[in-house]
Amino acid sequence: MTNSLLGLLVFILLIAVTLNFFLTLRIASIVRETPEPQDLPFTLDLDTPAPPFFGKKLMSGTVVSSEAVASDTSMVLVFLSSGCGDCRKKLPELVQILPAVRHAGIELLIVGMEDEKGVRNFLGATPLFEHVVVVDKKTKKILNPRNGSPFYIFIDHQKIVKASNFVGDGNWQTFMEQMHELSLEMAAKVEHEV
């Protein structure tokens, strides 16, 4: 091996080590700046206006905007992930209340935590798919800072955040009871008409 080739290899190695050093420092500063999950807010502040957001309904491609939802319509955002066992367990419950949610005029938006392909694989064969909306990462972070799932946000007709937590808490159970009662009323009305 000649001295010039050996010198070139040493020079390339020196550049690689220097680049590695600077990249390591950059990664360390990014990690240092990234908040720990316990430092992030759990959810949006209650009794405050919901931040405006938009997304795309996966089934139809329609753009959905929180601002475009009718002024007399409440919204329920449900965050689900295919890798979450509790999310999978909640699917039948969500499917069961769909008619009551529609009848009540509530805008149900299901936010998938994966990319579009993952969400299609998870919910594409369910009646919930027409409610699936894809939002960008920044919007997900604002609405669900800790990426919790199954997670929900109730937003009233005045666009005020009224409740937010993991699916199954007291507020969620009250909502489910209301939807089940409405389902029973709807069934009784159909029976009465027949």
Side-chain angles (χ1 to χ4, degrees), residues 48-128:
T48 62
F53 64 89
F54 71 93
K56 178 182 79 171
K57 283 206 172 180
L58 205 47
M59 184 173 187
S60 65
T62 309
V63 174
V64 177
S65 161
S66 60
E67 299 300 310
V69 172
S71 61
D72 62 343
T73 302
S74 297
M75 287 187 283
V76 179
L77 281 74
V78 181
F79 296 80
L80 299 175
S81 171
S82 63
C84 160
D86 286 340
C87 295
R88 290 186 179 282
K89 290 177 188 173
K90 295 296 178 188
L91 293 183
E93 180 179 274
L94 289 167
V95 169
Q96 184 181 19
I97 65 164
L98 276 178
V101 167
R102 288 183 188 119
H103 185 76
I106 298 170
E107 180 74 31
L108 172 65
L109 299 176
I110 298 179
V111 181
M113 300 301 284
E114 294 89 5
D115 61 10
E116 287 187 28
K117 183 180 178 187
V119 175
R120 280 183 194 281
N121 290 339
F122 179 39
L123 298 168
T126 72
L128 299 171

Side-chain angles (χ1 to χ4, degrees), residues 5-84:
L5 184 57
L6 185 58
L8 179 63
L9 288 174
V10 169
F11 179 70
I12 291 172
L13 183 60
L14 182 61
I15 289 174
V17 169
T18 304
L19 182 62
N20 187 3
F21 177 72
F22 283 113
L23 288 175
T24 301
L25 288 177
R26 178 68 184 130
I27 290 171
S29 72
I30 290 170
V31 169
R32 222 176 304 115
E33 293 169 7
T34 304
E36 291 293 321
Q38 65 269 19
D39 296 337
L40 294 171
F42 180 67
T43 186
L44 300 173
D45 292 331
L46 301 182
D47 297 319
T48 62
F53 64 89
F54 71 93
K56 178 182 79 171
K57 283 206 172 180
L58 205 47
M59 184 173 187
S60 65
T62 309
V63 174
V64 177
S65 161
S66 60
E67 299 300 310
V69 172
S71 61
D72 62 343
T73 302
S74 297
M75 287 187 283
V76 179
L77 281 74
V78 181
F79 296 80
L80 299 175
S81 171
S82 63
C84 160

